[in-house]
Each structure stands twice: as C-alpha cells, then as structure tokens.
Amino acid sequence: SGKVSPEELWKALTQGEIAYNLALQSIGQRKAPSKLNECTKDDLVAFLRAEYNKNSALWSLPQTFILFLAFFICMTSHLNISGSYVMQNSIVQEIEGEGPFWLHKYVHDIPTTWEWMLGSFVNCHFKQ
C-alpha cells in the first residue's frame, strides 16, 4: 500500500541500512563497497603502503643481525686480537721500565717526564 508502519520504521532505523550508514558517518568512515571482491583505488593504495611499511620494518631487524654477525666474523678472522694485545702490553711494559709504573702514576708534566726518562727509561733501554 506504500505506507510504512511504525514498527518497520523503528526496525529500519535500528537494524537496517540506515542505522549502518548513520553509525559509519558518526565515526567518519565510509560505506564499504557493495561487492566483496572489489575495493576502491584509495583503499588499495593505503593497504599496499601499510603492507610495505610493515614488511620493511619486519625485515630490517634480521638484516641488521646478519650484517653484525658478518662483520664480527670478518673482524675476528682478519685481526689477530690476542697477538695484538700481547704486542701492545709488551710495548707498554717496556716503556714503563723496570721500576714503578712511572707513566701511569708519576708522569704528568715536563719535569716528571724528564725524571722518568733519566731514571727508568734510560736504564731499561740502554743496558749493557
């Protein structure tokens, strides 16, 4: 007959398409596409950007770990760390001399440097 009963109007406002559209408008969303296998171009671009950002962030951590591991392997195979430490320690012990640790405790200006040179350094390096 073309007339809407109060029950039909209430059902349309609370359960039907009108209520759905009003709820979407109140939260600032738009209506979903009518076909399930289609989407808008803007939605597709937004999805692809979000997917790219998520995947690039996901793969950056494993790549960082692999790069650090490769660096560590190359460093330990290329450098002789224990030999370098022994060489550096022997040079420090030779320069400091046979007496007390002049360089670390007493040498801090020119007069104490000369005292170290004449006292410990010369006796150590010019032995006969």
Side-chain angles (χ1 to χ4, degrees), residues 60-70:
S60 66
L61 185 63
Q63 287 176 349
T64 303
F65 282 139
I66 290 171
L67 184 62
F68 178 73
L69 183 64

Side-chain angles (χ1 to χ4, degrees), residues 2-76:
K3 293 186 178 181
V4 178
S5 69
E7 290 84 21
E8 290 176 343
L9 179 61
W10 177 252
K11 185 177 178 183
L13 289 175
T14 58
Q15 298 175 0
E17 190 72 22
I18 296 173
Y20 179 68
N21 288 338
L22 288 174
L24 285 178
Q25 286 177 357
S26 69
I27 60 172
Q29 299 289 324
R30 5 172 237 211
K31 185 178 173 184
S34 59
K35 295 182 182 177
L36 294 177
N37 60 351
E38 291 182 2
C39 65
T40 64
K41 182 179 176 183
D42 295 333
D43 291 340
L44 178 64
V45 169
F47 169 75
L48 290 176
R49 282 191 179 143
E51 190 72 15
Y52 173 77
N53 289 335
K54 181 179 73 171
N55 286 337
S56 65
L58 176 70
W59 284 106
S60 66
L61 185 63
Q63 287 176 349
T64 303
F65 282 139
I66 290 171
L67 184 62
F68 178 73
L69 183 64
F71 168 75
F72 189 73
I73 289 171
C74 290
M75 182 191 68
T76 55

Side-chain angles (χ1 to χ4, degrees), residues 98-111:
E98 296 174 343
F101 296 99
W102 287 93
L103 286 180
H104 295 292
K105 292 184 179 178
Y106 303 115
V107 176
H108 49 82
D109 57 0
I110 295 175

Side-chain angles (χ1 to χ4, degrees), residues 85 87-107 112-125 127:
Y85 175 75
M87 179 65 73
Q88 184 260 345
N89 196 26
S90 65
I91 291 172
V92 167
Q93 293 298 325
E94 184 66 27
I95 289 175
E96 286 180 347
E98 296 174 343
F101 296 99
W102 287 93
L103 286 180
H104 295 292
K105 292 184 179 178
Y106 303 115
V107 176
T112 55
T113 304
W114 279 109
E115 185 180 341
W116 166 72
M117 289 286 288
L118 296 174
S120 179
F121 180 78
V122 174
N123 292 336
C124 181
H125 288 287
K127 293 180 183 176

